[in-house]
Amino acid sequence: MTAVPVMLGVRAPVGVPSGAPGDPLVDTHGRVHRDLRVSLTDRCSLRCTYCMPEQGNEWLARSSILTLDEIERIARVAAAAGVSTFRLTGGEPLLRTDIVEVVRRLSAISSPSGPVQLAMTTNGIKLAEKLPALVDAGLNRLNISIDTLDRARFHELTRRDRIDEVFEGIAAAAASGLRPLKLNTVAMRGVNDDELADLVQFAVDHGAELRFIEQMPLDAGHTWDRAQMVTREEILAALAARWELTPIPGRGGAPAERWTLDGGPHTVGVIASVTAPFCGDCDRLRLTADGQLRNCLFSTTEYDLVPILRDGDSASIDDGIDGMLRSCVHGKLPGHAINDPGFLQPARGMNAIGG
């Protein structure tokens, strides 16, 4: 199975991927892939300044968006190859009108290691009203994005006055019993770097773990400025002024380094993709809402599943999906190369890639 020429005129690496259907997804660097991030839409109910412009966004054509049946089929093939965690992302996944049925279908899938874990990353808007049905459908975990606790600042940052809905969603998640519950914050210089400790305390008060994310070059407008990024070390220094931080060992393939606060039980995490990359243990693949497989957030190459799903022989679709998964994994580079002089930001913004 070879990949389709895609972004920036780059052709996906061509080779003979190892493994037959049912074998684990192992890349040429020995990394076993067990996590698939599934973007359900590129649309969002917010317009965060670090993610997308307020106006003039070019949305994916609705006809190009994968159907529920297509998503389920890809997920089942991936699970047979050892993928044990699916994370639903966007854009904003709660904008997908069939979101509850997506959860119901995917949560019923098993991998060789047992039932899959199904997680979701959301901005929290509409979560309070949808959460009971999502939990009933089989959702296991939640990550909710919140970059500030200040109403005026939230409005300026997201270009929407909807912080109350986010707070309602977080409160509903805290009451739901879904654990671990995580709150995600992009740390930005001169924007929210004076709130870091307050955000951690807010998470603790809601039974959640705050996870800080270094700002990455994934904005649709390609305006990322390294100088505006608050680094891992700066984040830890700000938190150490209030709590004693003790590293938690055994990170494995998880993106976040974690620390206990004052000996526990509460914890905090930092995802330092820029200053402390963790590519050597990465076990993640990504599926965009329009059916493109990606082996890295920063990849300039995509592997197109749409012709297999919509134009192929129905008897061989699953084999075609499995082959493309293996081609994607086979083409994975050792790291994302953000810090290399020749680094190229991907053409897609984060909302079109999926978190």
Side-chain angles (χ1 to χ4, degrees), residues 176-187:
S176 72
L178 289 183
R179 295 295 185 276
L181 173 62
K182 298 173 183 177
L183 305 185
N184 292 348
T185 295
V186 177

Side-chain angles (χ1 to χ4, degrees), residues 328-342:
C328 182
V329 169
H330 182 77
K332 189 164 183 172
L333 299 175
H336 54 48
I338 285 178
N339 297 303
D340 290 354

Side-chain angles (χ1 to χ4, degrees), residues 212-216 229-233 235 251 255-257 259 269-279 336 338-339:
F212 290 106
I213 303 171
E214 287 184 339
Q215 189 175 359
M216 296 177 283
M229 179 189 73
V230 181
T231 68
R232 168 187 180 275
E233 294 306 317
I235 293 166
R251 176 182 180 181
E257 296 176 86
W259 291 262
V270 179
I271 300 175
S273 298
V274 179
T275 65
F278 42 90
C279 304
H336 54 48
I338 285 178
N339 297 303

Side-chain angles (χ1 to χ4, degrees), residues 197-345:
D198 291 340
L199 282 156
V200 171
Q201 187 61 56
F202 176 82
V204 167
D205 293 343
H206 287 81
E209 176 183 280
L210 201 295
R211 301 202 317 173
F212 290 106
I213 303 171
E214 287 184 339
Q215 189 175 359
M216 296 177 283
L218 288 168
D219 59 302
H222 289 208
T223 60
W224 180 77
D225 180 0
R226 182 182 292 267
Q228 295 304 309
M229 179 189 73
V230 181
T231 68
R232 168 187 180 275
E233 294 306 317
E234 290 174 296
I235 293 166
L236 295 177
L239 302 185
R242 186 178 299 189
W243 295 281
E244 179 183 352
L245 304 178
T246 304
I248 299 174
R251 176 182 180 181
E257 296 176 86
R258 301 172 65 232
W259 291 262
T260 59
L261 304 171
D262 289 341
H266 302 298
T267 57
V268 66
V270 179
I271 300 175
S273 298
V274 179
T275 65
F278 42 90
C279 304
D281 294 312
C282 180
D283 65 353
R284 288 170 295 287
L285 297 172
R286 286 173 170 79
L287 175 66
T288 68
D290 57 346
Q292 308 297 314
L293 282 170
R294 299 175 62 91
N295 54 34
C296 178
L297 263 177
F298 302 98
S299 177
T300 56
T301 301
E302 295 181 340
Y303 297 74
D304 191 358
L305 287 173
V306 174
I308 295 170
L309 292 163
R310 299 182 180 178
D311 302 329
D313 177 0
S314 60
S316 62
I317 288 177
D318 286 0
D319 286 344
I321 294 169
D322 183 83
M324 193 63 85
L325 281 165
R326 295 181 190 281
S327 288
C328 182
V329 169
H330 182 77
K332 189 164 183 172
L333 299 175
H336 54 48
I338 285 178
N339 297 303
D340 290 354
F343 172 75
L344 290 175
Q345 182 172 339

